[in-house]
Amino acid sequence: MTDFEKYIQRYLDLVPSENWVGELKISGKQTLEIYGKLSEEHGNFAYAEGKWTLKTLLQHLIDTEKVFAYRALRFSRKDQSLVSGFDEESWADNSYAETRTLKSLIKEFKLTRKLSIKFFKTLPAEALQLIGIVNGNEIKVETIGKLTVGHNLHHLNIIKERYLPSF
């Protein structure tokens, strides 16, 4: 198993069922449920110095989902161009999440998730099996969809463990 495979496996292991498109819906609802209960003040909370605020974390989920969907779109269209990775810390530092309202971030997350679900649901089985290269690593379109779920669940676990107990 490569380092890349080990890295993504931690996310894939969090996907609770083989119906990963259904899990996209469920994890989206869970995210919206948590964020819907937060005040604007809570959105600006970080559990420790140097950690992301809840707003920045939500923006990270949005950004990452868009990147994943873009990769899946390219590969599903048989685009074999090499795709690079992205620096999540730099993206978070430059996301402007702190200048936005929590409500606007929630709305964007909801729209982004709806688009992801619609996109993945419409792909034929053969497109889900197509492979592309990200940062020098091969990955299937279907695996990218599953990673979207696992990545979301990973961060929901962090929110529940490290953020919510503080208030």
Side-chain angles (χ1 to χ4, degrees):
M1 185 177 272
T2 67
D3 287 342
F4 176 73
E5 290 169 331
K6 289 177 191 170
Y7 178 78
I8 67 170
Q9 194 61 50
R10 69 186 180 133
Y11 296 121
L12 297 175
D13 287 345
L14 294 175
V15 181
S17 77
E18 287 301 311
N19 180 9
W20 58 271
V21 174
E23 298 297 344
L24 272 173
K25 291 178 186 176
I26 293 167
S27 62
K29 286 179 184 176
Q30 291 170 337
T31 303
L32 292 168
E33 185 176 302
I34 288 172
Y35 274 91
K37 293 178 182 176
L38 299 177
S39 68
E40 192 66 33
E41 182 180 325
H42 288 144
N44 294 315
F45 174 76
Y47 67 89
E49 182 73 31
K51 297 298 181 182
W52 293 344
T53 66
L54 282 161
K55 282 184 182 180
T56 301
L57 198 152
L58 185 56
Q59 184 67 66
H60 167 70
L61 289 174
I62 294 164
D63 289 349
T64 302
E65 187 155 335
K66 288 177 181 179
V67 168
F68 286 177
Y70 171 71
R71 291 172 178 172
L73 175 64
R74 286 184 65 157
F75 303 154
S76 72
R77 302 302 192 251
K78 299 184 179 183
D79 181 343
Q80 291 300 302
S81 303
L82 300 180
V83 178
S84 62
F86 71 102
D87 182 345
E88 66 182 39
E89 292 295 335
S90 175
W91 281 42
D93 290 345
N94 296 289
S95 71
Y96 312 103
E98 304 316 312
T99 67
R100 296 183 57 186
T101 64
L102 189 57
K103 185 177 179 178
S104 75
L105 287 164
I106 290 168
K107 186 175 182 178
E108 185 178 357
F109 176 83
K110 186 184 284 189
L111 289 169
T112 301
R113 181 54 56 96
K114 280 184 179 182
L115 289 170
S116 293
I117 292 166
K118 186 66 150 175
F119 168 67
F120 284 113
K121 277 177 72 171
T122 62
L123 288 177
E126 57 271 14
L128 291 170
Q129 298 310 305
L130 292 171
I131 295 172
I133 298 175
V134 176
N135 218 22
N137 300 285
E138 289 188 349
I139 190 165
K140 285 184 186 179
V141 171
E142 180 177 33
T143 304
I144 295 170
K146 291 177 181 179
L147 279 176
T148 305
V149 176
H151 179 259
N152 190 168
L153 292 173
H154 165 75
H155 283 292
L156 284 180
N157 288 340
I158 290 171
I159 290 169
K160 291 172 188 173
E161 293 167 9
R162 300 180 189 166
Y163 288 83
L164 296 184
S166 297
F167 41 87

